[in-house]
Amino acid sequence: MANRSDVATRRARACTALLAQVHAITDKEGITPSALHAIKLRLVALAKRAELFSLADFTMPEAQGRTHPLLLEDNDGHGLYLTISLPGKEAAPHDHGIWCVNAGIAGCERNVLYRRTDDGSKPGVASVVQVGEVLVAPGSGMAMADHDIHSTEVVGAEPSVTLALYGYALTRFPSVTWFHPAFSSVRTTPSRRHAA
């Protein structure tokens, strides 16, 4: 059985190789639906290597969820994370402002997809409609383009463990927009683009 140091080294190499593949795809295509699909397939393949992501190597959340950086590129580079979310954890509909791709390692996260239907002309007011649903579980994943909107909920009795790749590291995120469909309201968090 490999020791934890060997596993950490192999995990780091696998994450570096993934990011090299991602850059090869985006350098050729840019951020297109087909590029995001190709990235998703590669992230799902990495997530299937469960031996690299033993929960013994990652601190469990005390409440809700915890995000562990796996590989963060400098400047405006990508951020690759392992996320552990406890059963019942949920997030209201939101728009990250940047593309992201997720792949399941364990458990199940329900993602509900939305489309904004107003023109954004009234501050604090927004309407969204549900347009789809994706379950992120072992062997599956999802990709979202800039300004796609989703909500999340961990379903089932076990934690959801996923790989998450973002166009920017979390510390350099643009403004995140949060929607409250029942009240047709919206709020935006401050951008982190110049804070890091």
Side-chain angles (χ1 to χ4, degrees):
M1 182 172 177
N3 67 40
R4 290 175 77 172
S5 175
D6 291 340
V7 171
T9 298
R10 289 193 294 121
R11 180 170 58 238
R13 285 184 186 145
C15 292
T16 300
L18 171 79
L19 265 291
Q21 294 170 352
V22 169
H23 284 293
I25 292 166
T26 58
D27 288 350
K28 181 178 179 183
E29 289 190 52
I31 302 299
T32 63
S34 65
L36 289 173
H37 179 71
I39 292 168
K40 179 185 79 172
L41 294 178
R42 284 157 180 81
L43 193 65
V44 167
L46 178 58
K48 287 180 179 178
R49 298 178 62 187
E51 76 280 2
L52 297 179
F53 304 106
S54 168
L55 289 185
D57 292 341
F58 299 96
T59 304
M60 290 293 288
E62 293 180 12
Q64 298 294 312
R66 189 175 189 120
T67 301
H68 297 272
L70 295 174
L71 182 59
L72 307 180
E73 296 180 323
D74 292 334
N75 301 317
D76 277 342
H78 305 326
L80 176 62
Y81 301 87
L82 180 135
T83 299
I84 305 169
S85 301
L86 298 180
K89 180 185 184 296
E90 56 187 349
H94 59 283
D95 162 6
H96 299 137
I98 188 66
W99 63 268
C100 69
V101 179
N102 292 2
I105 297 172
C108 185
E109 181 185 75
R110 177 177 179 249
N111 288 259
V112 177
L113 308 176
Y114 297 84
R115 178 175 51 84
R116 188 168 182 170
T117 57
D118 68 294
D119 63 7
S121 62
K122 295 181 182 177
V125 176
S127 58
V128 295
V129 295
Q130 183 176 334
V131 295
E133 181 178 311
V134 177
L135 296 176
V136 176
S140 69
M142 65 176 287
M144 297 194 322
D146 295 3
H147 302 297
D148 282 353
I149 302 166
H150 76 140
S151 65
T152 62
E153 179 185 9
V154 178
V155 295
E158 67 176 303
S160 168
V161 183
T162 62
L163 295 180
L165 175 65
Y166 297 97
Y168 295 135
L170 294 177
T171 56
R172 295 186 179 276
F173 251 35
S175 297
V176 175
T177 304
W178 294 88
F179 299 88
H180 197 311
F183 296 99
S184 297
S185 65
V186 63
R187 67 180 172 84
T188 303
T189 61
S191 173
R192 300 179 188 172
R193 297 292 298 127
H194 302 290

